[in-house]
Amino acid sequence: MHRLILIPCLLAVAVSAGSALAQKKGRPSPQAVDKLVEDGFKTAAPDWKVRLVQDETQKACTASRNEPAEAGAAAIRRREKATIKYPEDGNLLGDWKKGEALAQSGYGWRYTDYPPRQANGGNCYACHQLDKKELSYGTLGPSLAEYGKIRKFAEPAVKFVYEHIYNPQASQPCGNMPRFGTSGFLTMDQIKDIVAYVMSPDSPVNK
Ligand code: HEC
């Protein structure tokens, strides 16, 4: 999710870089943009600064403009899959009602969320249709309406949803969905609750 917040910031920074740091063609150089972003984070809380440092996967995605060649994509899948942790009792389904609240909450890691006053949310609705009764939702990701029902609530689908929320890049290298579990943004229990919201027969997503 922080990627979503960073993108507008980066754009604003890139635009405001303007003439002072512009290259010949009128575009700011990558170094100038990096410097402005770093300057912008000077007063930020220390735990924000880690966001300026790309991990290996982010570097590979940047270098390939999110289109890694097959060998690179396979390396990303392998590396990201290895970060996924599973509940010890093997139960991937939590409480769909709690999951519903989380799926609709965009709280967490925004400037106004410091110091944190409530749990982070999954912000799923910002990119996906879920409950068909919901009027407002984003379309960056595919519709998840009836996602569980269409897949007959099958166990492999439950596992896929858990893994995709925990770390979508394990199956979709350089995709646009945040790595909620691996980044530490959501806890394992929160992820289980959201899996139940997507995959439980009682959930409004599957009505
Ligand atoms: C920033 C946008 C964004 C957010 C937020 C987001 N997703 Fe996604 N999601 C995507 C995109 C884009 C895809 C397509 C594949 C990919 O890039 O991973 C996707 C794919 C998926 C899929 C796989 C769909 C399929 O084709 O089978 C599931 C399941 C899913 N998302 C669930 C969720 C849930 C649950 C949440 C909330 C915790 C969530 N997503 C939050 C963008 C997002």
Side-chain angles (χ1 to χ4, degrees), residues 27-192:
R27 286 193 188 171
S29 68
Q31 293 81 356
V33 174
D34 281 353
K35 185 174 178 322
L36 278 161
V37 173
E38 264 167 44
D39 288 352
F41 274 69
K42 264 189 188 138
T43 54
D47 63 329
W48 276 58
K49 293 194 180 147
V50 295
R51 297 196 205 178
L52 293 178
V53 185
Q54 291 191 314
D55 65 22
E56 236 181 301
T57 293
Q58 288 166 325
K59 277 183 196 153
C61 293
T62 298
S64 64
R65 296 195 164 249
N66 293 333
E67 284 176 11
E70 191 37 48
I76 291 173
R77 276 192 219 101
R78 220 174 17 250
R79 181 165 57 236
E80 299 300 320
K81 178 100 204 245
T83 68
I84 301 178
K85 295 193 173 64
Y86 300 86
E88 270 172 28
D89 65 2
N91 177 20
L92 304 179
L93 290 159
D95 175 341
W96 72 257
K97 286 187 182 148
K98 286 189 194 162
E100 179 175 41
L102 288 166
Q104 290 169 355
S105 162
Y107 193 90
W109 288 9
R110 300 169 299 193
Y111 275 106
T112 47
D113 298 336
Y114 281 82
R117 295 174 300 284
Q118 64 182 72
N120 291 346
N123 208 22
C124 319
Y125 85 101
C127 293
H128 295 284
Q129 180 185 34
L130 287 143
D131 181 344
K132 275 180 284 176
K133 292 212 182 86
E134 192 61 61
L135 295 177
S136 162
Y137 55 85
T139 54
L140 184 60
S143 169
L144 303 178
E146 298 190 17
Y147 193 91
K149 193 171 162 188
I150 292 164
R151 287 158 184 79
K152 302 188 170 26
F153 309 109
E155 225 169 277
V158 172
K159 186 162 179 257
F160 174 79
V161 173
Y162 179 88
E163 290 175 342
H164 208 76
I165 300 172
Y166 206 103
N167 192 329
Q169 300 216 29
S171 54
Q172 183 71 41
C174 306
N176 278 321
M177 182 164 153
R179 299 173 289 180
F180 290 103
T182 299
S183 66
F185 190 80
L186 293 179
T187 66
M188 192 182 276
D189 282 338
Q190 286 179 311
I191 293 174
K192 282 168 59 178

